[in-house]
Amino acid sequence: MKRILLTLAVLLGTAFFVPQNVVLADGTIGSANANSSVIGKNNKSSLKTDTTKQTNSLSNDGSPANQSESTIRDKLGETTGSPDMNWVTSNILANYKMYHEDGSITDFALGASHIVTDLFTAINLNIVYPLFDQSLSTMFDLTNITNGVNNILTDVGQYTKSSWQSQAFKDLLYLAFGIGLVWVFAKTINHGGGLKSILTVLVVAIIGTAWVGSGSKVLQTINTLTSQAQTQVFTATSNINQTSFSDTGDSFQNALRYVYFQKAVARPFALGNFGQADVASAYQNKDKQGNPYRLIGGNVDDKVIASFASKNHYISKDGGLEWYQSAIAFMSPVMSVAYGVPLLMIGLANLLVQLGAVLLYYLAPFT
């Protein structure tokens, strides 16, 4: 019995004092006891580094945003003067909503106001604004529209000339001209003034021939000039950087969409969350109410909301402005329609005029 106890004591002593071989992280075999201090130091250093990185990555507002402030301002054209509305629509449009701090489950009035706010904000951001934005993007894609209409005019011009020169059409033309002369002769006998009627028929024939021959080029020139004039109208009536209206290409289209975006999306966002007329004014007051670009950047969790609510009574559950947010959200779809319809009508009117010119020229040989 004593031998058994002695043997156990020796084994225990060996376990405590003899270094154990272990496979280290690099694949080599080493002593666990000899490296314990090193591993401990490495673990502490790694933990400290991870903690430092996490601390640096977390701002005072909570989790880091998906999009940085500088990127957002560049894409909005605030620093470059050339907004990229396709990027804005794809990356940050959904972040232009009403933010609010949640209350207790028994605060039914607060919960009801938040439901109303979220509902009408979603209607504006997901239905009304995208509909008008896409329509404006199509209607004011003036480069493609102008070139497309000009191509149609060229094709119609070739068709008109070939029709005019065809034998069948010549026979109809001669028949019509003969009938016109007979009508003029009959009118001369009954009412006089035959010379004036004859001259009228000749003038119509000459002008008609000239129109069929060169009307395509004339309409193409007018079409291009009207598109350029349209950009000048917006240059004179808009406060956006006029360099964006320098041509009829993507810069004009993006500038126009940016104007609509500021009215239909950015304005309700600034009013509801900061009580300011625009994001620029809210940004100037960022030290008191919070940086609006932090919300626009996305990845807004409860910690971010709490950091804003602590100094922004528009977002705070105790600010008493939850129904104010609801009113702004309720009016946002209405105002988006009010701002979008006139712009859309301008683009639609221009397109209808261009299509009317095509139709007129197409019917010219028959009229």
Side-chain angles (χ1 to χ4, degrees), residues 201-339:
V201 172
L202 292 175
V203 168
V204 169
I206 294 173
I207 294 178
T209 303
W211 174 254
V212 170
S214 59
S216 175
K217 294 182 180 179
V218 173
L219 288 177
Q220 288 180 24
T221 303
I222 295 176
N223 181 44
T224 302
L225 291 176
T226 55
S227 296
Q228 294 176 350
Q230 192 172 6
T231 63
Q232 296 301 319
V233 170
F234 283 98
T235 300
T237 58
S238 175
N239 58 0
I240 198 173
N241 186 0
Q242 294 190 5
T243 58
S244 299
F245 291 108
S246 58
D247 56 56
T248 61
D250 291 339
S251 61
F252 171 76
Q253 180 199 71
N254 275 287
L256 181 67
R257 292 171 63 191
Y258 175 79
V259 171
Y260 178 63
F261 173 82
Q262 289 295 313
K263 299 296 185 181
V265 176
R267 184 180 177 87
F269 168 82
L271 285 172
N273 294 304
F274 302 95
Q276 302 291 337
D278 49 55
V279 175
S281 301
Y283 183 74
Q284 294 176 356
N285 202 32
K286 63 179 180 179
D287 294 334
K288 296 181 179 180
Q289 294 182 307
N291 188 348
Y293 291 103
R294 175 61 190 87
L295 299 178
I296 297 172
N299 196 20
V300 179
D301 53 20
D302 292 338
K303 187 176 181 181
V304 176
I305 294 294
S307 67
F308 274 83
S310 63
K311 53 186 175 182
N312 187 330
H313 59 280
Y314 289 92
I315 297 177
S316 173
K317 63 181 178 181
D318 299 322
L321 293 174
E322 59 272 8
W323 287 107
Y324 165 81
Q325 280 193 332
S326 299
I328 297 296
F330 176 77
M331 290 301 299
S332 60
V334 179
M335 297 309 299
S336 294
V337 173
Y339 286 122

Side-chain angles (χ1 to χ4, degrees), residues 15-328:
F16 277 107
F17 295 105
V18 176
Q20 302 295 317
N21 291 332
V22 295
V23 179
L24 300 179
D26 58 358
T28 60
I29 299 177
S31 172
N33 291 335
N35 291 280
S36 60
S37 60
V38 177
I39 294 174
K41 290 181 180 179
N42 290 337
N43 288 339
K44 291 180 180 179
S45 176
S46 177
L47 180 60
K48 183 177 180 180
T49 302
D50 293 342
T51 305
T52 302
K53 288 182 178 179
Q54 185 179 13
T55 303
N56 291 336
S57 66
L58 295 178
S59 64
N60 293 331
D61 295 335
S63 302
N66 294 328
Q67 304 293 340
S68 65
E69 176 185 332
S70 59
T71 301
I72 295 172
R73 301 188 72 174
D74 288 343
K75 295 299 183 179
L76 286 173
E78 296 177 5
T79 57
T80 62
S82 299
D84 185 356
M85 294 309 300
N86 289 330
W87 183 92
V88 171
T89 303
S90 301
N91 293 276
I92 61 174
L93 175 63
N95 301 332
Y96 280 86
K97 59 184 180 181
M98 304 294 179
Y99 293 91
H100 39 69
E101 188 179 28
D102 294 331
S104 63
I105 194 172
T106 58
D107 195 344
F108 297 108
L110 183 66
S113 67
H114 290 171
I115 291 174
V116 173
T117 300
D118 294 341
L119 173 62
F120 286 100
T121 300
I123 291 175
N124 186 48
L125 293 181
N126 299 324
I127 300 177
V128 179
Y129 173 77
L131 177 62
F132 278 92
D133 179 66
Q134 185 60 42
S135 300
L136 292 175
S137 176
T138 302
M139 291 296 178
F140 288 93
D141 188 4
L142 297 183
T143 298
N144 289 332
I145 290 178
T146 301
N147 293 337
V149 172
N150 286 341
N151 292 335
I152 294 175
L153 288 172
T154 300
D155 295 338
V156 173
Q158 294 176 353
Y159 166 77
T160 302
K161 291 179 181 178
S162 61
S163 299
W164 186 270
Q165 296 173 357
S166 65
Q167 185 62 41
F169 195 86
K170 286 182 179 179
D171 293 341
L172 293 175
L173 182 64
Y174 295 152
L175 177 61
F177 189 75
I179 294 175
L181 290 179
V182 172
W183 172 74
V184 169
F185 181 76
K187 184 178 180 181
T188 302
I189 296 176
N190 296 329
H191 306 286
L195 181 61
K196 181 179 179 180
S197 299
I198 293 175
L199 291 177
T200 301
V201 172
L202 292 175
V203 168
V204 169
I206 294 173
I207 294 178
T209 303
W211 174 254
V212 170
S214 59
S216 175
K217 294 182 180 179
V218 173
L219 288 177
Q220 288 180 24
T221 303
I222 295 176
N223 181 44
T224 302
L225 291 176
T226 55
S227 296
Q228 294 176 350
Q230 192 172 6
T231 63
Q232 296 301 319
V233 170
F234 283 98
T235 300
T237 58
S238 175
N239 58 0
I240 198 173
N241 186 0
Q242 294 190 5
T243 58
S244 299
F245 291 108
S246 58
D247 56 56
T248 61
D250 291 339
S251 61
F252 171 76
Q253 180 199 71
N254 275 287
L256 181 67
R257 292 171 63 191
Y258 175 79
V259 171
Y260 178 63
F261 173 82
Q262 289 295 313
K263 299 296 185 181
V265 176
R267 184 180 177 87
F269 168 82
L271 285 172
N273 294 304
F274 302 95
Q276 302 291 337
D278 49 55
V279 175
S281 301
Y283 183 74
Q284 294 176 356
N285 202 32
K286 63 179 180 179
D287 294 334
K288 296 181 179 180
Q289 294 182 307
N291 188 348
Y293 291 103
R294 175 61 190 87
L295 299 178
I296 297 172
N299 196 20
V300 179
D301 53 20
D302 292 338
K303 187 176 181 181
V304 176
I305 294 294
S307 67
F308 274 83
S310 63
K311 53 186 175 182
N312 187 330
H313 59 280
Y314 289 92
I315 297 177
S316 173
K317 63 181 178 181
D318 299 322
L321 293 174
E322 59 272 8
W323 287 107
Y324 165 81
Q325 280 193 332
S326 299
I328 297 296

